[in-house]
Amino acid sequence: MPAVDWDHITPKVTEDVVSMLLNHIHPNRAQRINGEGGDDGRDVQIVLDDGLHAREIKSYKTTLKASQKTKIKNSLLTAAALNPVDWEVLLPHDFTPAELRWFDTLRPLVTFPIDWRGRTWLDTELAQRPFIQRYYLGDAYQEVRDLLELARQEEAGLARGALDALARIDRLATKLNEMDPYYVWEIASDGTTSRLTPRPRYRGAEIDYPLRATMRFAFPETPEAREIEEQLQRSYDFGTAVSVPEEYVVAIDFNALVLPDVPLTGRIEIGPADPDATETIILAVVDPHGTQLAELEFSGPSTAGLRGRLIDATDATGFVHLHFEADRQDRRMNLQLNVRIDGPYDARTLRSAIRFLAESAQPNTLEIKLLSGERLGSEPLTAEAPIASPGYARMLDDLTFVEWAARKSPKVGPVLSDEDLKQLAIGRLLVNGGFVTTTWESAEITVLADAPEEARVVYQGPEFRLARTEDGPFAVTIGGNEYPLGARRLIVMETAQLAPEHEDFRHNGVPAGSTVRVVPGSSNAVRLWILSADAPVPDLGLAEPVESEEQPES
């Protein structure tokens, strides 16, 4: 294809061609700027990982006049306010030596690099993308008619077999894609039916040339047809997906560049305008006095249509589901919450959700807002009882507390047994500074070698209280997970006495440094506390008399 005849095209076409070229050099990165209100010194901006790259397009084709140099300079100075990574001017003219010297005088005016691209560079790049020149400067419509004639020939050639037909359709798709600068057309066929999928060649192609389809349907009075018709209406209203069988499709008119006046038939598949669109919505529970009690954040797919929007979202746990429908026409909102805890959960994350659900009942109200803070409205809560019980919320509070003390947070559930709940109660009590009571049968203690006489004489009494420490945490087991609590354990035996084999020590005293066995006295209760690593503890083997209202026998 010959080089572009720059001298005989209008400034607008020049800008269109160069802008399209930049879109294809930087797919999904280049953005054309609408200059009706001023383009701030760039016609196209390219957003890369390192920042914004500004590009100015001029249609100057011959040696620059003074006024044209002034316009280039002004564009550069205006673009400086954007603090771009670099700036370039593109024009269908190669600079003369004098113009190069003039351009160099502009470099000290800004803090970023500047450059120019002339006719030779443009012709070289366009030669690698002939469809751009063909679309803007060639007889594209006649080529389309030729392709359609080829399509009809290929259709007639289907009788030669499916494999031959697929090869011909593939050649047709290649030719179509050589012509369309906006979209890549993917054609798939199984030999009997074909699927045509347009994909934008660059970010913003769908804005530069939006695809529009006009469809007419006819639905007979049958339950099946009525259901499809309702789904289609909902697709128009709220942007949901729908599949319309071929028998209900009367006609389709499509404005694609490469398919003018083509009679299209077949099943219609309508999906969301942006299949990857997501939305974050926040629900807050507010009491009748306006005090916020709890809130929960939901994120998920969002669709929008002529009538309103739909959001199907879940919270961070994945167990609480929200269906939100905003109807602009009726000025109403429909909100549905569904909860199903059917797998192991992280207590800290689920705790927020359950606290929210435990407040979601009369007489409270739900406030609905977007992540941006925009308030969408409010809905009175109609349920007399909350979805989750306050007791469930308190249980998760306790479990989160125990996990914090144990420095671990494994997933548990979805159901905790009675034994799990008992262990949780023990863990919460110990972490809160309380103690648990159990029983004991026998223990060995060593009397310190340097124990004074008044300490050793305690063991000669009929009963004494004994305190001792043991290194290592005390562990509770919840949902099959062990939670170590504390660095040491303090054990207090409420009443103890020397074992029968030490009867002589009752009369003569316990020798310093000896090890003796003790057994329960009038009570076999033992209390257990957990201690942090730096907590003060009694000396090992410390014993003290048990106060009694009765005097011991002489």
Side-chain angles (χ1 to χ4, degrees), residues 181-202:
Y182 297 104
Y183 294 91
V184 173
W185 292 86
E186 299 176 357
I187 302 179
S189 176
D190 59 7
T192 57
T193 60
S194 298
R195 176 185 294 271
L196 204 61
T197 305
R199 302 192 187 281
R201 285 185 182 267
Y202 59 88

Side-chain angles (χ1 to χ4, degrees), residues 172-342:
L172 175 60
T174 300
K175 290 181 177 294
L176 291 175
N177 282 318
E178 288 175 356
M179 296 187 53
D180 195 333
Y182 297 104
Y183 294 91
V184 173
W185 292 86
E186 299 176 357
I187 302 179
S189 176
D190 59 7
T192 57
T193 60
S194 298
R195 176 185 294 271
L196 204 61
T197 305
R199 302 192 187 281
R201 285 185 182 267
Y202 59 88
R203 186 170 61 183
E206 67 277 11
I207 299 174
D208 294 342
Y209 193 91
L211 294 177
R212 296 185 180 89
T214 303
M215 296 166 282
R216 287 187 291 129
F217 304 95
F219 295 100
E221 291 296 326
T222 64
E224 295 79 11
R226 189 172 296 109
E227 181 180 354
I228 295 295
E229 184 177 15
E230 291 174 356
Q231 293 177 10
L232 181 61
Q233 185 62 55
R234 190 164 181 80
S235 178
Y236 290 151
D237 291 343
F238 297 102
T240 54
V242 64
S243 177
V244 183
E246 183 176 6
E247 59 264 30
Y248 306 133
V249 181
V250 176
I252 308 170
D253 297 321
F254 199 38
N255 73 324
L257 285 174
V258 296
L259 296 171
D261 305 324
V262 179
L264 300 176
T265 59
R267 172 184 292 271
I268 299 294
E269 302 280 351
I270 301 176
D274 183 359
D276 298 323
T278 59
E279 189 73 83
T280 297
I281 191 168
I282 298 173
L283 301 183
V285 182
V286 178
D287 71 11
H289 303 291
T291 302
Q292 180 171 307
L293 304 176
E295 74 173 27
L296 196 59
E297 184 177 300
F298 297 84
S299 295
S302 172
T303 63
L306 299 176
R307 186 165 176 168
R309 75 165 70 177
L310 297 179
I311 302 173
D312 283 298
T314 58
D315 75 323
T317 68
F319 299 133
V320 187
H321 303 268
L322 167 69
H323 176 80
F324 176 75
E325 180 177 312
D327 191 324
R328 288 191 296 267
Q329 179 174 309
D330 292 346
R331 296 186 179 182
R332 64 173 179 83
M333 293 182 295
N334 179 30
L335 184 148
Q336 298 174 7
L337 284 172
N338 179 268
V339 184
R340 184 176 180 182
I341 303 175
D342 54 3

Side-chain angles (χ1 to χ4, degrees), residues 347-425:
R348 189 169 304 181
T349 305
L350 185 61
R351 174 173 172 257
S352 298
I354 297 301
R355 290 183 67 85
F356 167 83
L357 296 172
E359 302 286 358
S360 298
Q362 296 180 359
N364 299 329
T365 301
L366 277 182
E367 294 283 345
I368 307 159
K369 55 187 177 181
L370 298 178
L371 190 60
S372 62
E374 177 188 353
R375 183 177 178 275
L376 299 181
S378 62
E379 287 286 318
L381 289 161
T382 57
E384 296 182 0
I387 299 175
S389 70
Y392 194 4
R394 288 193 296 271
M395 183 275 289
L396 289 172
D397 287 343
D398 292 346
L399 182 53
T400 302
F401 188 36
V402 169
E403 288 180 346
W404 168 81
R407 304 295 191 269
K408 63 184 298 186
S409 54
K411 289 190 174 183
V412 298
V415 177
L416 295 183
S417 67
D418 290 343
E419 179 59 28
D420 291 331
L421 296 176
K422 179 181 177 182
Q423 289 281 298
L424 175 58

